Amino acid sequence: TPTLLVVIILPILSILGAYLFTYYYSNYMQILLLILLSISPILCSRSKNLEQHYPFVIFVIALSLLLHVNLVSSHLWSFDIFLESYCARTVIENEYWDPNLDYKLNSLLLINILAPVLSSFCDISYVWVFKAIFPLIFSLVPVSLFILYKNLIYKLFRIKDIQLAFLSTFVFVFYYGFFKDMPDKQHISQLFLSLIFILFLLKMTNSKYLILMLSFSLIVSHYGVAYLFALSLFGALILTNVCRYFGFN
């Protein structure tokens, strides 16, 4: 469909816009991209033929929004990304990871193992692992949220409102915190967290093994998110026991 065709070209416009802004200081393409990104969810939600493509549409829009800022410049920019890149560069230069280093980010396997492995496997600089591959991974978070919202709406209201779940996802995507800095430890850990919530909700067969694996991945990705997740589990356990005490199911 024409609407889906517009969505498909969004990543191309995003890459082209970042290139023009970096080397020719022109942001016209990026302004056009932002306009198209803002109207794409509305156009796609009005088309019944695109419902089966909603996960792909969400992924493409999220990736385009991330790339239009991450690909600007050929250098790293952000906040904690410089501390994390130091750890990744140290592992690459030494060709091994020393777990005994007294450095608070040295315990995050996402930075010290995954980033160097991707850099070596793809034969690219660790800089482009943070600028290109991590945004690609982080773009899967809105897709997982769509699956979570779709099943949560059905669980709570016993209705299948795919459009509501689709549009609700963009509350997260279009929030400034989604694209204001380069995806790093906190962003990638959100993918593991959202997948854990999906497994909790769907109650899949043998999901406890997947939850255990994802929980370990969450812990070694970002300590802050892991602490919040542990506190939320503790709060949910207390709330469940209180509801059972008063006879609520």
Side-chain angles (χ1 to χ4, degrees):
T1 63
T3 305
L4 189 61
L5 180 62
V6 173
V7 173
I8 292 175
I9 67 174
L10 289 177
I12 301 176
L13 296 179
S14 180
I15 297 172
L16 180 60
Y19 178 84
L20 293 176
F21 185 79
T22 300
Y23 296 102
Y24 298 97
Y25 308 104
S26 173
N27 64 346
Y28 295 111
M29 183 65 70
Q30 290 187 315
I31 294 176
L32 174 62
L33 173 70
L34 293 177
I35 295 175
L36 293 176
L37 288 176
S38 62
I39 64 176
S40 294
I42 300 175
L43 296 177
C44 293
S45 64
R46 297 175 63 88
S47 177
K48 295 292 185 179
N49 297 327
L50 290 180
E51 289 187 355
Q52 59 179 339
H53 301 296
Y54 277 171
F56 173 75
V57 172
I58 294 172
F59 173 76
V60 169
I61 293 178
L63 180 62
S64 302
L65 190 59
L66 290 172
L67 291 182
H68 101 281
V69 291
N70 280 266
L71 295 184
V72 171
S73 174
S74 59
H75 304 282
L76 294 175
W77 60 266
S78 190
F79 305 100
D80 294 345
I81 200 73
F82 299 105
L83 302 176
E84 299 167 12
S85 64
Y86 169 76
C87 295
R89 187 176 72 250
T90 301
V91 174
I92 293 174
E93 292 176 351
N94 296 334
E95 297 185 351
Y96 73 95
W97 170 53
D98 185 3
N100 298 316
L101 290 179
D102 187 14
Y103 194 67
K104 64 179 181 179
L105 295 178
N106 192 52
S107 62
L108 299 182
L109 303 186
L110 173 70
I111 304 301
N112 296 280
I113 300 297
L114 181 61
V117 167
L118 289 175
S119 175
S120 176
F121 182 78
C122 299
D123 195 21
I124 59 176
S125 170
Y126 68 93
V127 173
W128 290 103
V129 172
F130 290 105
K131 291 178 70 69
I133 297 182
F134 275 16
L136 187 68
I137 299 175
F138 186 47
S139 300
L140 296 174
V141 175
V143 180
S144 62
L145 288 180
F146 168 72
I147 299 173
L148 182 64
Y149 293 159
K150 181 177 66 174
N151 289 277
L152 189 61
I153 291 173
Y154 179 76
K155 291 282 186 178
L156 294 177
F157 306 106
R158 295 299 175 182
I159 57 174
K160 293 184 178 180
D161 197 335
I162 300 180
Q163 291 183 348
L164 177 60
F166 174 73
L167 294 176
S168 298
T169 306
F170 292 99
V171 177
F172 174 75
V173 174
F174 291 156
Y175 171 62
Y176 176 63
F178 179 77
F179 56 90
K180 70 181 179 67
D181 53 1
M182 299 185 66
D184 55 3
K185 57 187 186 303
Q186 180 178 347
H187 300 78
I188 306 302
S189 64
Q190 293 176 16
L191 176 61
F192 300 125
L193 184 62
S194 59
L195 293 176
I196 291 173
F197 285 150
I198 290 176
L199 292 176
F200 276 148
L201 186 63
L202 297 183
K203 298 180 180 179
M204 299 172 58
T205 304
N206 295 327
S207 61
K208 59 182 180 181
Y209 301 108
L210 289 175
I211 292 175
L212 182 62
M213 181 184 67
L214 292 172
S215 299
F216 174 79
S217 302
L218 177 64
I219 293 172
V220 297
S221 297
H222 188 252
Y223 32 82
V225 177
Y227 291 153
L228 292 175
F229 177 59
L231 290 175
S232 65
L233 288 180
F234 183 70
L237 180 62
I238 295 177
L239 183 61
T240 301
N241 291 330
V242 170
C243 293
R244 287 178 178 175
Y245 178 80
F246 289 101
F248 297 101
N249 294 324

